[in-house]
Amino acid sequence: MNKFLVLLAFSLLSLSVASASPLPCTISTGVDNPVTSGTVIMCGGLTFDNFQVLHATGGAAGTIDILSAGLDAAGEIDLTFNPNLGPSQDEQLLFAVWGGITQIDMSVAGNLASITERACANAIPTMGDFADLCTNAAGTAVAAPLAQISVDSNESAVSGTFTGTSPVYIFKDIQTEDPNGQLTEFTQTFQPSVPEPVSTVLLGSGLLALGLLRRKSRKS
């Protein structure tokens, strides 16, 4: 019986570690393709959907490609996009994040470009007096964002933490206002606020088996 409990405990602990290892992410529309309203990205316990590209100006195509989605060993999720912006162009990107996050984190490449990002607790209007702003649940008044950051080319920024909630609605104003500006890549990093369920259950089961073994040893 003791040997069985030892084997069970270490098997479950090993499985919990394995399940917490980097896992592949899925992108419904594939990489190097534009995000659309039908794009769904699933990665590390988070789901990204409801993508919208709006208000393209200055000759911008209004197309934003998803270049990659990856999950590292620390559990952080990196999404890399190409907004396809040349000089003096602008467009907005909106999407929702499901699963719980507590920060927004972004790095921007390109030249003479900038992105302002805000995270909102409620769906973000795209028309009317409150367009592109965070609002209350009824959409009748402006509300403070959960977090907001502004990042220039070749820089990165991380917001302060906020209470984990799901979904979080993301708005980005992406622009290259200078005649020499261009932007073909930026990366968004997310840290899920809730541990991955499978690994948590397996870890708990392994610890329980070890506890039973220890209790049995004491009685003996």
Side-chain angles (χ1 to χ4, degrees):
M1 183 64 178
N2 286 356
K3 290 182 178 180
F4 172 75
L5 284 174
V6 171
L7 180 61
L8 174 63
F10 282 101
S11 296
L12 290 171
L13 288 170
S14 297
L15 283 171
S16 73
V17 172
S19 67
S21 300
L23 300 172
C25 300
T26 61
I27 304 172
S28 64
T29 46
V31 297
D32 296 324
N33 289 318
V35 293
T36 69
S37 59
T39 300
V40 178
I41 301 172
M42 301 181 69
C43 199
L46 297 182
T47 298
F48 307 85
D49 64 8
N50 294 324
F51 287 90
Q52 299 179 72
V53 182
L54 302 173
H55 311 312
T57 63
T63 299
I64 296 180
D65 301 323
I66 177 68
L67 301 182
S68 66
L71 175 65
D72 65 24
E76 292 186 338
I77 298 162
D78 295 327
L79 304 182
T80 301
F81 298 91
N82 174 9
N84 298 291
L85 290 188
S88 302
Q89 295 182 344
D90 187 7
E91 61 192 358
Q92 283 75 51
L93 173 64
L94 294 86
F95 58 92
V97 186
W98 302 79
I101 60 172
T102 58
Q103 278 184 310
I104 51 176
D105 180 350
M106 181 172 52
S107 59
V108 177
N111 182 51
L112 298 171
S114 66
I115 301 178
T116 296
E117 174 181 14
R118 65 181 61 98
C120 302
N122 300 301
I124 301 170
T126 58
M127 297 183 293
D129 293 339
F130 306 136
D132 306 333
L133 299 175
C134 299
T135 67
N136 59 10
T140 57
V142 173
L146 298 171
Q148 181 165 311
I149 55 177
S150 294
V151 188
D152 294 327
S153 288
N154 304 307
E155 294 182 356
S156 61
V158 181
S159 76
T161 59
F162 50 85
T163 302
T165 184
S166 178
V168 171
Y169 297 91
I170 300 294
F171 167 84
K172 296 176 182 288
D173 183 23
I174 310 167
Q175 51 188 292
T176 55
E177 294 183 339
D178 191 276
N180 296 311
Q182 63 83 28
L183 183 61
T184 57
E185 184 175 308
F186 68 87
T187 298
Q188 182 86 55
T189 300
F190 296 92
Q191 175 68 59
S193 59
V194 179
E196 197 276 317
V198 174
S199 61
T200 302
V201 171
L202 290 171
L203 179 60
S205 300
L207 293 174
L208 176 61
L210 285 174
L212 290 173
L213 177 60
R214 185 177 181 184
R215 183 178 179 184
K216 182 177 178 62
S217 299
R218 285 180 174 177
K219 286 184 178 181
S220 301

